[in-house]
Each structure stands twice: as C-alpha cells, then as structure tokens.
Amino acid sequence: MESGYVTTPFGRRPMSLGMLASQQLAETIEPGMKRSKWKLFRAICEARPALGVTDRALTVLDALLTFYPDDEISEEKGLIVFPSNAQLSLRARGMTPATLRRHLAVLVEAGLILRKDSPNGKRYARRDRAGAIGEAFGFSVAPLLARAVEIESLAAQAVADRELLRVTRERLTVCRRDISKLIAAALEEGVSGNWEGISAMFRALLARIPRVATAEDLAPLLDEMGLLRAEIVNMLERRIKAKKIDANESQIEHHKQNSNPHSPYELEPSFEPKQGEKAAADNDPNAGPSDERRLKQQKPSGGMSNRAGGAADPGAGPGLKSFPLGLVLQACPSILDYGPGGSIGNWRDLMSAAVVVRSMLGVSPSAYEEACSGMGPENAATVIACILERGGHINSPGGYLRDLTRRTERGEFAIGPMLMALVRANGPTARHAS
C-alpha cells in the first residue's frame, strides 16, 4: 500500500479483522510486481465461486478498473482510484447508488479492494506542483496485485474443474446411451439373462444423477455405470460366441447334407427336359448312362422362370406368387455383383449368388434352409437379394428372414410389395441383368 498505517472506514461503517488482514496483505507486494488489469480481471471471473463474489459485484469491479489509468497495475503507477459515485454508476451500467454501495461492500469483504477514506469521506487526490498525485483517497486495488498468484491459481483450478466436469458428463452420456441400446439389442435378439433386473438397476442409477452436479458427484455414478455396461457386453459376447459355435456346427452339417451339387437349397432346381431335349439326349452318342439317369431323375419345379405370370408357383412357398427374374434384378441390382462372373443370367446364377450373400450377411444355414422350404428356393433367393438391398435398414438379417418365413407359413407375407418398393426406390438408375 501507499501508506504503512492502518486506515479505518469513514462514518458508521465498522472496522473488521478481515479489513485489517487485507491491509496487512496489501503491504506484502513484492517489489517490481505488475499484472495486466484485464487479464487479472478475467482470472477473477473464472475464480468467482471460490472468491465468493457475485456477478454484479464483478460489474462494479470492472467499472473501477476502467478508472485505473494504465493497463498494468503496479505500485510505481499508484494503486488508488477515486471516482465519484455518479461516475462509477455510469460505468457500472447505470447501477443505482444503493446497489452500488452494496456491491462495493461485497468486494471489500472478499478482500479484492480496500477503502482508503478521506477525513470527510470524499474521494479525491492531492497533486504536487508538477501535477503528480501526492496522496489519494478512494479505493485501493493493492489486494488484486498482492493476491495475483492466488487468483491465477484459483482460476486455473476452476478451468480444470470445468473441463473435468465436461469430460465426465460426456462419458456418462455415452455410457447411458450404450447401456440403453445394448439392453434393447439383448431383448430384441432374445439373449437369456435377467434383463428386467438389469433395467431396474440402470433406472436406479439414472435416478441418482443430480440436476446440478460436480465432477465428484458424477465420478462414482460413472464407475458404476461402466461396470454395468461391461457386464452387459460380457453377456452379449458370450451369446455371440455361442452363436458362432452353433453356426460352425450347422455349416459343417449343412455341407454334409448338401453334397449333391443339384441341391435345391444351393442351386436352381432342375427343370423337366422338353421333348426335343429328351430325344436329343437319347440320340446323343456321347451321353453316358449317368446323364440318362440324371435326366430321368429331374422333377418339374415350375420354378420362377422369366415369365411374368402371377399365378401361384408349384415350386414356391404356400400362397407366394412368382415374379420375372428381370424384375427381381431391377429391384435388387446389388445382387449382380455376387453372381458368377459378376452377372446373373438365370435363376441358377441368382441362387448361387444368394448363397454367397447369405453367408456374408450372417444368415445361418438353418435359417436359409427353412426359408427355402417355406417359400421355395427361388423366392428365398429373391428375399435374400431384397435383404441385401435394404442392408442398412435391417439389424438382424437372420432374424428378419426367419420372421418372413413364419409369416409366409401363416399366409401373411407377399414378395410383390417388397419388390415394387425397391423398384421405386432404385428408380431409373437401377442396373439391369447382363
């Protein structure tokens, strides 16, 4: 401070031990110490809760600092500002005198400014002959300079706490989202477990989140939610491993059962040879006994050939109608990439591509076989092509195929609307069969 003696407030304002401590602290400013007043003010704003001042009090402090003549606060340039109440009110956004006095008292109690009152309580400065200020009465900003290191430390801690709270809230939000969607996926997939109890535990954790929380309040909740999420993930991973084992066993068994290259579940069913073809085969000297037996063993499937008829197809599932191959490829052009040589020219090619896509989509062999049995192999291949085309909208292709198979058996599913919707979605840019 500019004087080494204790100064007491004017009038009825009482003296306190806090004021005395602030005056003693202000006398401990290190020689040559200086700070930018606006950087220091920003630090005070950051540390406001720790300093115990209100936002309105900071408005008054901001106005006081505008009366300090230099950008840097230092003892060499003086530490007293002496604006009148009228001038201070104008720079404090028109604050009334009573409100102004109340917030000045808050700043004094917080130890951010000191009063240095004149004998009559007025604020003014005495100047020497050269115009330099000899003695001034008003408000001293010496505590700001004396507490600069403390204020900057409090500000840095406040910024770190705010960042920690932000990160904690983000992690908690992600964890809440993960748990909610993982439970929904488990229920949708029919994963065994006490999901009702887990959901109740999750709701109890959510109810414990306070409206206004600190990082310390949220940290234990985040830990508990993290453990709950880890437990749910473990349960789902066990289910995935079990499904992989079942799928591998089914795949091995499927290969054993379908060693016949003309299996109706893997390739297009054979058609009854026409009379001319039969005669040609009988007259062909290169046709061996095995070829003749194969021709005799072929049974008519009436499959979904390139005809546009809408009658029920003997090779299709109950109640399902056949559709031209060209229409299927127009509705589902993505399946073309999986055909032999990157093209599909007949139903055998489509069913071969469907087997590849079925494996790629994670549809189990048993689910595909059930679809072939319930819908017919051509229609099953058509549905696989539709699922591939709508892949981004179907979470579980295998479950979806099984559901369509069950609906087909109940007479509740028709392929036509699905194909027409995809034809409209693909529009004129749809690819065609080569």
Side-chain angles (χ1 to χ4, degrees), residues 46-278:
E46 293 283 2
R48 182 177 65 83
L51 293 172
V53 292
T54 63
D55 54 347
R56 299 295 300 279
L58 290 183
T59 300
V60 176
L61 179 60
D62 179 37
L64 274 175
L65 290 176
T66 62
F67 289 97
Y68 193 82
D70 295 284
D71 181 69
E72 286 189 337
I73 301 175
S74 65
E75 282 190 292
E76 290 78 7
K77 298 174 183 178
L79 298 172
I80 304 294
V81 291
F82 41 90
S84 65
N85 280 347
Q87 291 174 323
L88 190 56
S89 176
L90 287 175
R91 297 196 187 182
R93 281 76 170 168
M95 191 176 291
T96 62
T99 305
L100 192 66
R101 287 192 295 271
R102 185 169 66 252
H103 291 302
L104 284 169
V106 170
L107 292 173
V108 172
E109 288 294 327
L112 295 178
I113 60 173
L114 286 174
R115 290 182 183 273
K116 186 182 178 183
D117 289 342
S118 65
N120 61 2
K122 301 294 183 180
R123 300 177 201 134
Y124 59 87
R126 289 197 180 96
R127 299 179 183 273
D128 57 21
R129 292 180 179 274
I133 296 177
E135 188 176 13
F137 299 96
F139 296 103
S140 171
V141 294
L144 296 182
L145 200 57
R147 300 179 63 186
V149 175
E150 175 196 354
I151 291 171
E152 290 164 352
S153 176
L154 289 173
Q157 185 62 47
V159 172
D161 290 344
R162 187 169 64 246
E163 180 65 16
L164 178 61
L165 178 61
R166 183 188 67 80
V167 171
T168 304
R169 284 186 179 277
E170 287 179 352
R171 291 177 178 173
L172 188 63
T173 299
V174 171
C175 196
R176 289 172 59 180
R177 182 187 67 200
D178 291 347
I179 293 174
S180 177
K181 294 198 173 185
L182 288 172
I183 290 177
L187 294 174
E188 183 179 351
E189 296 289 339
V191 179
S192 59
N194 183 18
W195 298 110
E196 183 176 351
I198 292 175
S199 298
M201 188 184 306
F202 179 48
R203 289 192 297 271
L205 287 174
L206 293 179
R208 288 168 50 192
I209 300 177
R211 284 190 174 182
V212 180
T214 63
E216 289 74 15
D217 298 330
L218 298 180
L221 291 172
L222 179 59
D223 292 340
E224 292 184 48
M225 283 197 183
L227 292 175
L228 181 61
R229 177 175 59 183
E231 179 61 25
I232 295 173
V233 170
N234 288 337
M235 296 172 68
L236 296 179
E237 286 179 346
R238 287 196 294 269
R239 173 60 180 269
I240 291 173
K241 291 177 181 178
K243 288 181 69 176
K244 285 183 178 179
I245 293 174
D246 294 341
N248 289 338
E249 292 176 352
S250 300
Q251 184 71 30
I252 294 171
E253 184 66 23
H254 177 63
H255 284 188
K256 290 180 180 178
Q257 294 174 354
N258 293 283
S259 57
N260 182 1
H262 299 287
S263 168
Y265 299 118
E266 295 293 335
L267 297 176
E268 180 186 19
S270 301
F271 292 90
E272 181 71 18
K274 297 180 181 179
Q275 184 175 359
E277 294 174 348
K278 179 68 166 60

